[in-house]
Amino acid sequence: MRPDLVIFDCDGVLVDSEPVTNRAISENLAGYGLHLTVEECMAQFVGGTLSGVRDKARRMGADLPEDWVAEIHEATYAALRRGVSLIAGVRDLIDALEAAGVAYCVASNGSREKMRITLGQTGLWDRFEAAMFSARELGVAKPEPGLFLAAAKVHGVDPAACVVIEDSASGAKAAARAGMRCIGYVPEGAGVALRGQGAEVVTRMQEVAALLGVDG
Protein backbone atom coordinates (compact mmCIF):
# COMPACT_ATOMS: atom_id res chain seq x y z
CA MET A 1 0.00 0.00 0.00
CA ARG A 2 1.28 3.45 -0.92
CA PRO A 3 1.95 5.52 2.23
CA ASP A 4 0.79 9.07 2.88
CA LEU A 5 4.13 10.05 4.42
CA VAL A 6 7.67 8.68 4.12
CA ILE A 7 10.02 9.54 6.98
CA PHE A 8 13.72 9.26 6.18
CA ASP A 9 16.48 8.95 8.73
CA CYS A 10 19.40 11.14 7.69
CA ASP A 11 22.78 9.57 8.47
CA GLY A 12 23.20 6.27 6.65
CA VAL A 13 19.91 6.64 4.74
CA LEU A 14 20.11 9.95 2.87
CA VAL A 15 23.84 10.55 3.21
CA ASP A 16 26.76 8.16 3.68
CA SER A 17 27.96 9.97 6.78
CA GLU A 18 28.23 7.18 9.35
CA PRO A 19 31.79 6.08 8.42
CA VAL A 20 32.99 9.71 8.53
CA THR A 21 31.36 10.39 11.89
CA ASN A 22 32.52 7.16 13.47
CA ARG A 23 36.08 7.62 12.22
CA ALA A 24 36.14 10.94 14.07
CA ILE A 25 34.70 9.28 17.18
CA SER A 26 37.25 6.43 16.98
CA GLU A 27 40.17 8.86 16.73
CA ASN A 28 38.83 11.01 19.56
CA LEU A 29 38.16 8.13 21.95
CA ALA A 30 41.68 6.78 21.42
CA GLY A 31 42.92 9.94 23.07
CA TYR A 32 40.91 9.04 26.15
CA GLY A 33 42.13 5.47 26.45
CA LEU A 34 39.40 3.63 24.52
CA HIS A 35 40.66 2.06 21.31
CA LEU A 36 37.90 1.02 18.91
CA THR A 37 38.03 0.55 15.18
CA VAL A 38 35.63 2.50 12.98
CA GLU A 39 33.67 -0.70 12.46
CA GLU A 40 33.46 -1.31 16.21
CA CYS A 41 32.28 2.28 16.76
CA MET A 42 29.57 1.82 14.14
CA ALA A 43 28.42 -1.42 15.75
CA GLN A 44 28.29 0.22 19.18
CA PHE A 45 27.03 3.71 18.42
CA VAL A 46 25.02 3.99 15.16
CA GLY A 47 21.46 5.07 15.84
CA GLY A 48 22.16 6.71 19.19
CA THR A 49 22.77 10.23 20.41
CA LEU A 50 26.18 11.69 21.22
CA SER A 51 25.26 11.85 24.89
CA GLY A 52 24.47 8.16 24.60
CA VAL A 53 27.85 7.57 22.96
CA ARG A 54 29.50 9.44 25.85
CA ASP A 55 27.75 7.33 28.47
CA LYS A 56 28.49 4.03 26.73
CA ALA A 57 32.13 5.00 26.10
CA ARG A 58 32.56 5.83 29.78
CA ARG A 59 31.16 2.43 30.73
CA MET A 60 33.69 0.90 28.34
CA GLY A 61 36.54 2.67 30.12
CA ALA A 62 36.99 6.03 28.38
CA ASP A 63 37.93 8.86 30.75
CA LEU A 64 35.83 11.55 29.08
CA PRO A 65 35.62 15.16 30.29
CA GLU A 66 32.34 16.86 31.13
CA ASP A 67 32.42 18.91 27.92
CA TRP A 68 33.06 15.88 25.69
CA VAL A 69 29.78 16.15 23.75
CA ALA A 70 30.66 19.68 22.64
CA GLU A 71 34.16 18.51 21.77
CA ILE A 72 32.96 15.61 19.62
CA HIS A 73 30.36 17.81 17.94
CA GLU A 74 33.19 20.05 16.76
CA ALA A 75 35.31 17.11 15.63
CA THR A 76 32.53 15.32 13.74
CA TYR A 77 31.19 18.47 12.10
CA ALA A 78 34.69 19.35 10.89
CA ALA A 79 35.04 15.87 9.41
CA LEU A 80 31.64 16.06 7.72
CA ARG A 81 32.45 19.44 6.19
CA ARG A 82 35.35 17.78 4.37
CA GLY A 83 32.82 15.81 2.37
CA VAL A 84 30.07 13.19 2.39
CA SER A 85 28.20 11.56 -0.47
CA LEU A 86 24.57 10.73 -1.11
CA ILE A 87 23.37 7.18 -0.61
CA ALA A 88 23.07 5.67 -4.08
CA GLY A 89 19.51 5.77 -5.38
CA VAL A 90 18.18 8.29 -2.86
CA ARG A 91 17.69 11.15 -5.31
CA ASP A 92 15.74 8.90 -7.69
CA LEU A 93 13.57 7.70 -4.80
CA ILE A 94 12.75 11.25 -3.73
CA ASP A 95 11.92 12.13 -7.35
CA ALA A 96 9.56 9.13 -7.47
CA LEU A 97 7.83 10.21 -4.25
CA GLU A 98 7.32 13.70 -5.61
CA ALA A 99 5.97 12.37 -8.91
CA ALA A 100 3.50 10.18 -7.00
CA GLY A 101 2.44 13.02 -4.70
CA VAL A 102 3.68 11.28 -1.55
CA ALA A 103 4.86 13.59 1.23
CA TYR A 104 8.29 13.00 2.77
CA CYS A 105 10.45 14.41 5.55
CA VAL A 106 13.60 13.66 7.53
CA ALA A 107 13.69 12.76 11.25
CA SER A 108 17.10 12.43 12.87
CA ASN A 109 18.70 12.15 16.28
CA GLY A 110 21.24 14.62 14.91
CA SER A 111 20.96 18.39 14.98
CA ARG A 112 19.61 20.68 12.29
CA GLU A 113 23.13 22.12 12.03
CA LYS A 114 24.53 18.69 11.24
CA MET A 115 21.84 18.09 8.60
CA ARG A 116 22.61 21.48 7.07
CA ILE A 117 26.24 20.36 6.67
CA THR A 118 25.44 16.96 5.15
CA LEU A 119 22.30 17.69 3.15
CA GLY A 120 23.61 21.09 2.13
CA GLN A 121 26.65 19.72 0.32
CA THR A 122 24.65 16.98 -1.43
CA GLY A 123 21.92 19.19 -2.85
CA LEU A 124 19.10 17.92 -0.63
CA TRP A 125 18.83 20.77 1.87
CA ASP A 126 16.23 22.67 -0.14
CA ARG A 127 14.10 19.54 -0.44
CA PHE A 128 14.06 18.84 3.30
CA GLU A 129 14.52 22.21 5.01
CA ALA A 130 10.77 22.70 5.53
CA ALA A 131 10.21 19.06 6.53
CA MET A 132 12.91 18.42 9.11
CA PHE A 133 12.56 16.93 12.61
CA SER A 134 15.57 16.93 14.93
CA ALA A 135 15.79 15.19 18.29
CA ARG A 136 18.01 18.03 19.49
CA GLU A 137 15.15 20.50 18.89
CA LEU A 138 12.22 18.35 19.97
CA GLY A 139 13.89 16.88 23.05
CA VAL A 140 12.97 13.28 22.24
CA ALA A 141 15.29 10.81 20.54
CA LYS A 142 15.03 7.36 19.02
CA PRO A 143 14.30 4.69 20.15
CA GLU A 144 11.44 6.68 21.66
CA PRO A 145 8.63 7.16 19.12
CA GLY A 146 8.06 10.88 19.72
CA LEU A 147 10.21 12.09 16.82
CA PHE A 148 8.23 10.06 14.28
CA LEU A 149 4.89 10.84 15.89
CA ALA A 150 5.69 14.56 15.72
CA ALA A 151 6.39 14.25 12.00
CA ALA A 152 3.08 12.46 11.43
CA LYS A 153 1.17 15.04 13.45
CA VAL A 154 2.66 18.01 11.61
CA HIS A 155 1.78 16.42 8.28
CA GLY A 156 -1.70 15.48 9.44
CA VAL A 157 -1.11 11.80 8.71
CA ASP A 158 -2.15 8.78 10.77
CA PRO A 159 0.93 6.87 12.01
CA ALA A 160 -0.37 3.71 10.36
CA ALA A 161 -0.16 5.51 6.98
CA CYS A 162 3.54 6.36 7.46
CA VAL A 163 6.63 4.46 6.38
CA VAL A 164 9.99 5.01 8.06
CA ILE A 165 13.28 4.30 6.27
CA GLU A 166 16.02 3.53 8.79
CA ASP A 167 19.48 1.99 9.02
CA SER A 168 19.61 1.31 12.77
CA ALA A 169 17.82 -0.99 15.18
CA SER A 170 17.19 2.04 17.39
CA GLY A 171 15.30 3.77 14.57
CA ALA A 172 13.40 0.61 13.66
CA LYS A 173 12.37 0.23 17.30
CA ALA A 174 11.12 3.83 17.34
CA ALA A 175 9.07 3.13 14.21
CA ALA A 176 7.53 0.02 15.77
CA ARG A 177 6.67 1.95 18.92
CA ALA A 178 5.05 4.64 16.76
CA GLY A 179 2.94 2.05 14.96
CA MET A 180 4.68 2.72 11.65
CA ARG A 181 5.93 0.37 8.96
CA CYS A 182 9.72 0.38 8.71
CA ILE A 183 12.00 -0.37 5.80
CA GLY A 184 15.53 -1.11 6.97
CA TYR A 185 18.34 -0.09 4.63
CA VAL A 186 21.30 -2.41 5.19
CA PRO A 187 23.81 -2.24 2.32
CA GLU A 188 26.14 -4.62 4.14
CA GLY A 189 25.32 -7.50 6.47
CA ALA A 190 22.14 -9.44 7.12
CA GLY A 191 20.14 -6.77 8.94
CA VAL A 192 19.35 -9.12 11.81
CA ALA A 193 19.01 -6.33 14.37
CA LEU A 194 16.57 -4.37 12.19
CA ARG A 195 14.55 -7.47 11.34
CA GLY A 196 14.37 -8.12 15.07
CA GLN A 197 12.49 -4.82 15.39
CA GLY A 198 10.07 -5.73 12.60
CA ALA A 199 11.75 -3.90 9.70
CA GLU A 200 11.59 -5.09 6.08
CA VAL A 201 15.25 -5.17 5.07
CA VAL A 202 16.65 -4.06 1.70
CA THR A 203 20.26 -3.87 0.57
CA ARG A 204 19.78 -1.32 -2.23
CA MET A 205 17.87 1.95 -2.07
CA GLN A 206 16.61 1.18 -5.58
CA GLU A 207 14.40 -1.55 -4.05
CA VAL A 208 12.44 0.88 -1.91
CA ALA A 209 10.30 2.51 -4.62
CA ALA A 210 8.59 -0.80 -5.38
CA LEU A 211 7.92 -1.45 -1.68
CA LEU A 212 6.33 2.00 -1.43
CA GLY A 213 4.29 1.58 -4.60
CA VAL A 214 5.88 4.55 -6.36
CA ASP A 215 7.90 2.69 -8.99
CA GLY A 216 5.56 3.67 -11.80
Side-chain angles (χ1 to χ4, degrees):
M1 181 185 300
R2 182 177 291 182
D4 293 333
L5 175 66
V6 174
I7 305 174
F8 289 89
D9 179 39
C10 187
D11 298 298
V13 171
L14 293 176
V15 289
D16 191 20
S17 50
E18 294 289 13
V20 176
T21 297
N22 282 277
R23 186 173 296 109
I25 291 173
S26 172
E27 292 171 355
N28 177 276
L29 290 179
Y32 293 105
L34 180 59
H35 297 274
L36 299 173
T37 66
V38 174
E39 293 74 19
E40 288 169 336
C41 282
M42 290 181 69
Q44 290 288 338
F45 305 136
V46 165
T49 62
L50 286 177
S51 59
V53 173
R54 175 199 62 203
D55 296 343
K56 181 177 282 190
R58 282 174 170 169
R59 291 195 295 271
M60 297 172 74
D63 184 19
L64 302 183
E66 289 303 311
D67 64 348
W68 183 82
V69 169
E71 176 184 321
I72 199 62
H73 270 139
E74 182 177 345
T76 55
Y77 289 4
L80 291 168
R81 287 189 184 97
R82 289 193 287 271
V84 295
S85 58
L86 277 179
I87 295 294
V90 154
R91 197 183 302 279
D92 290 340
L93 175 58
I94 294 170
D95 288 344
L97 292 173
E98 291 186 352
V102 176
Y104 61 88
C105 66
V106 58
S108 173
N109 275 353
S111 67
R112 179 176 288 263
E113 179 185 0
K114 182 181 180 183
M115 287 188 275
R116 184 185 292 276
I117 294 169
T118 58
L119 299 180
Q121 65 184 272
T122 54
L124 290 186
W125 176 259
D126 290 344
R127 302 177 82 166
F128 283 97
E129 183 180 7
M132 186 170 290
F133 298 86
S134 164
R136 292 280 299 280
E137 294 180 357
L138 295 178
V140 59
K142 310 165 195 177
E144 297 304 319
L147 198 59
F148 294 150
L149 292 174
K153 183 177 181 180
V154 167
H155 284 84
V157 174
D158 188 279
C162 299
V163 173
V164 173
I165 305 178
E166 270 286 349
D167 70 325
S168 73
S170 174
K173 186 173 185 177
R177 288 176 168 179
M180 298 178 181
R181 178 186 176 195
C182 183
I183 296 174
Y185 173 64
V186 185
E188 299 179 7
V192 174
L194 279 91
R195 283 196 176 94
Q197 298 297 335
E200 306 162 53
V201 171
V202 300
T203 58
R204 299 168 62 250
M205 196 59 69
Q206 290 85 345
E207 301 172 59
V208 177
L211 292 175
L212 297 178
V214 297
D215 57 343

